[in-house]
Amino acid sequence: MSALFAGRAEEAVGRLVRLTEDGHHAAHPTIAILAAPDTAEAAVQAGQRATAEEQARLLRRWAERSNAPWAVSAMHLVHALLASRADAEKQFQLALDVPGAQSRPFAYARTRLLYGEWLRRARRRTDARAQLAEAAETFRRLDAAPLLARTRAEQELAGQQPRRDSAPDRDAATVLTAQESRVVRLAAEGLTNREIGAQLLISPRTVGYHLANVFPKLGIVSRADLARIDFGDGLRLMD
C-alpha cells in the first residue's frame, strides 16, 4: 500500500499478488480478499489488466456471498477502474452510494479520490473539485499524508486551490526530522529514490515514505516544488 500510494504501481502489484501465492507466510484467502481492492488498483495503474480482472472476480464472489458494505463498495470501485468511459461513472457512484460504505472513511475517501481523478481526466473539472475536496478533508483529518499530497496535486490540476491547515512554516528545519532533511536535500539535487537510498543506506520505499511525509509539511505537492527550497541557512522555503 505504501508503494501504491507513492505511485510505484508495479512494485505494489508485485508485492500484493504474492500474498496469494502458495507458501507465502501471509498467504490466506481472507488476506487475498482484503488486499483485492489495492491489488486491482495497482494492477490497473501498472497496465496489468488481467490481474485487475482477476481481483474484480474475487471481490464480486465475496461481495455476493457476504453482502458486506466494504466489499460491495470495493467491487463497484474496481469495476469502475476497469470499465469503459460510459459505465465507469455509474460504477463510481454505486461504490459511493452503498449503505454503510461511509463507515470506513479512509476507503470512502480513496474512492472519492479515484473518482475525482477520473472526472478531471474527463475534463469535468467542476465535478472533480467536489470529489477531491471531500477526499482531501478526510485524508487531512486522518493524517494520511501520502494520499493527501496526491489529492492536493489533483486539486491543483483541476484548477482548485488546495486547503492548507495553516501557512507553512518558513523554516523547514523546524518541522523536518534529520532523516527527512537529508532525503529532501538529495531529492532537490535530482537524485532518484534508488540513488538516495543507496547514499543513505535505506530502501527506495523508505525514501518514498519520507518524501510523502515531507511534502505536506512544506506545503508542496511534487518534486518540482523542491526548487523553491533554500538550502543555505536553516533549510528555508522561498516564496
Side-chain angles (χ1 to χ4, degrees):
M1 291 174 69
S2 176
L4 173 61
F5 298 159
R8 303 191 306 277
E10 290 188 2
E11 177 187 339
V13 72
R15 291 178 178 273
L16 288 164
V17 165
R18 285 200 294 274
L19 292 175
T20 64
E21 295 177 350
D22 291 339
H24 192 284
H25 71 278
H28 189 278
T30 302
I31 296 295
I33 292 167
L34 293 174
D38 302 312
T39 309
E41 181 185 341
V44 169
Q45 291 185 15
Q48 299 180 26
R49 186 177 181 86
T51 298
E53 290 174 341
E54 180 182 350
Q55 300 303 309
R57 289 190 291 271
L58 177 64
L59 271 172
R60 175 181 283 279
R61 288 194 298 269
W62 183 252
E64 292 175 347
R65 176 182 175 183
S66 68
N67 203 34
W70 77 266
V72 177
S73 181
M75 176 190 70
H76 288 302
L77 173 59
V78 171
H79 285 169
L81 297 177
L82 289 167
S84 64
R85 183 168 181 171
D87 192 45
E89 182 164 25
K90 175 184 177 182
Q91 293 295 326
F92 276 121
Q93 291 176 344
L94 285 171
L96 292 171
D97 290 343
V98 172
Q102 295 189 53
S103 65
R104 296 167 65 95
F106 181 70
Y108 199 77
R110 286 179 65 189
T111 300
R112 285 192 180 277
L113 168 58
L114 290 166
Y115 186 21
E117 289 175 338
W118 182 88
L119 288 166
R120 199 265 304 167
R121 290 193 296 269
R123 301 180 184 277
R124 292 170 53 186
R125 301 206 305 174
T126 299
D127 292 334
R129 291 168 192 163
Q131 297 297 330
L132 295 170
E134 292 288 345
E137 175 59 23
T138 299
F139 293 141
R140 183 198 63 77
R141 179 167 52 85
L142 297 178
D143 198 23
L147 286 177
L148 179 58
R150 174 174 157 184
T151 306
R152 284 174 169 168
E154 277 293 322
Q155 286 180 291
E156 293 194 343
L157 289 172
Q160 183 178 31
Q161 182 62 40
R163 168 187 169 179
R164 306 297 181 187
D165 296 331
S166 61
D169 193 328
R170 311 312 292 178
D171 186 355
T174 66
V175 296
L176 301 186
T177 67
Q179 187 75 309
E180 287 173 345
S181 296
R182 288 188 285 267
V183 167
V184 78
R185 285 175 183 272
L186 294 173
E189 293 175 8
L191 275 67
T192 66
N193 285 11
R194 186 173 299 277
E195 291 168 337
I196 295 170
Q199 285 206 27
L200 300 181
L201 301 179
I202 57 178
S203 71
R205 181 173 61 177
T206 301
V207 174
Y209 171 80
H210 284 310
L211 287 174
N213 286 334
V214 163
F215 288 175
K217 288 183 179 182
L218 297 183
I220 63 178
V221 297
S222 71
R223 280 179 179 254
D225 292 328
L226 293 175
R228 298 167 51 206
I229 297 177
D230 178 8
F231 292 94
D233 294 322
L235 192 64
R236 295 181 180 275
L237 188 64
M238 299 181 294
D239 293 329

